[in-house]
Amino acid sequence: NDMARALILFVCWIGLLLSSLGWAQTPAIPGPERWESAIAKFVEQDKQVPPEKGKVLFLGSSTILLSNPQRLFPDINPLNRGFGGSFISDSVYYADRIVLPYEPSVIVFHAGGNDIALGKTPETVCAHFGALVRKVHAALPRTRIIYMALIGSRLRWNLWPQMAKANALIEEFCKGDDRLWYVDVWRFLRNDQNEPREELFLRDKLHLNPDGYRVWASVLSPVLTRMLYRSDATPDGAETSKKPESK
């Protein structure tokens, strides 16, 4: 319910505040200005060929950038605005330029792994996702947002406990709002020992390979179908909305 979601976000913001006050040790975090040239290219592309409004927007870090959603979901011709290495806060910062103008009906979002890798807390990750949600819904209250869960990788396996906690906080935050869906894709990318399925990752042991993306897309596909083709699309219980079945 709304009170539970507000409590989760409050806890996340307390964690963010303590971090900003120096109570949590974090390295210097680069600012969003480092992405200015990449965002300017998106804006120039939009001037040359204005995207159709109301489309599905893929947004976030390298997992989104490399996913090639146009190939994975050719029937809906989605828009990809992933920029590799980005933090959730970067998407918040640039939302006025690469999110809101498109008036997307659905946003597929994945980021947070880079945040954890640079020392941000799970609470900070959740708080920043909450900031993105608020910014989008302040301007586009009907836009639905899918959060694709953080996934474990061999390269960052030592960080998995923090990523798992961030996932849990965001999953809880998404409950009770039929515009927010948390998709637990990790359970399809892990083995029986709850470790990454090596055959689904590139040699860098961080990013998914084509087979991994086919799994990723098969988990996302039924959620997108619900959102796009059902005007009353709402979560039908945690098992359906939070853990959609693979094709």
Side-chain angles (χ1 to χ4, degrees):
N1 55 39
D2 291 343
M3 183 171 293
R5 291 181 65 247
L7 179 60
I8 288 293
L9 194 55
F10 175 75
V11 171
C12 291
W13 278 114
I14 289 297
L16 176 57
L17 177 62
L18 295 181
S19 177
S20 67
L21 290 174
W23 292 23
Q25 295 297 316
T26 59
I29 304 297
E33 297 81 7
R34 71 196 189 282
W35 297 112
E36 180 58 39
S37 61
I39 301 304
K41 289 180 181 178
F42 287 144
V43 173
E44 184 59 31
Q45 290 173 19
D46 296 341
K47 290 179 180 178
Q48 298 298 323
V49 183
E52 178 184 349
K53 294 184 184 298
K55 298 179 68 173
V56 175
L57 172 67
F58 280 68
L59 177 71
S61 57
S62 57
T63 294
I64 293 293
L65 174 66
L66 300 174
S67 67
N68 194 353
Q70 295 87 349
R71 176 180 56 82
L72 293 174
F73 302 99
D75 293 343
I76 63 174
N77 189 27
L79 188 63
N80 189 349
R81 288 295 179 264
F83 44 117
S86 61
F87 306 133
I88 297 178
S89 56
D90 296 325
S91 289
V92 178
Y93 184 85
Y94 288 110
D96 291 326
R97 296 167 67 184
I98 61 165
V99 179
L100 304 185
Y102 311 137
E103 298 179 17
S105 58
V106 178
I107 297 172
V108 177
F109 184 73
H110 176 93
N114 296 321
D115 303 62
I116 296 290
L118 257 71
K120 296 184 183 181
T121 66
E123 291 80 8
T124 298
V125 170
C126 181
H128 286 176
F129 177 66
L132 178 66
V133 168
R134 287 196 307 279
K135 188 166 189 176
V136 170
H137 284 162
L140 306 168
R142 299 183 63 183
T143 295
R144 296 180 174 114
I145 302 173
I146 299 171
Y147 184 82
M148 299 295 287
L150 299 179
I151 60 178
S153 66
R154 188 57 63 189
L155 184 66
R156 293 177 173 174
W157 191 238
N158 62 310
L159 300 175
W160 175 242
Q162 295 97 303
M163 292 184 182
K165 184 177 180 180
N167 278 343
L169 288 169
I170 291 175
E171 180 179 17
E172 192 65 28
F173 174 75
C174 289
K175 290 179 179 178
D177 189 331
D178 61 13
R179 300 169 299 176
L180 304 179
W181 288 48
Y182 170 89
V183 177
D184 183 13
V185 66
W186 165 241
R187 70 185 183 122
F188 296 94
L189 299 170
R190 68 192 185 195
N191 58 27
D192 293 340
Q193 288 73 47
N194 196 35
E195 295 182 345
R197 292 172 57 188
E198 306 285 357
E199 73 275 14
L200 299 180
F201 288 80
L202 294 173
R203 294 178 66 181
D204 66 5
K205 299 185 183 300
L206 176 63
H207 298 100
L208 295 172
N209 63 23
D211 288 338
Y213 272 117
R214 278 190 282 272
V215 174
W216 193 82
S218 74
V219 180
L220 173 59
S221 182
V223 180
L224 276 178
T225 298
R226 284 174 175 267
M227 290 190 169
L228 292 173
Y229 302 113
R230 284 180 51 193
S231 61
D232 63 338
T234 57
D236 297 328
E239 286 300 311
T240 300
S241 63
K242 310 308 180 187
K243 298 181 179 180
E245 295 181 359
S246 174
K247 283 188 175 179

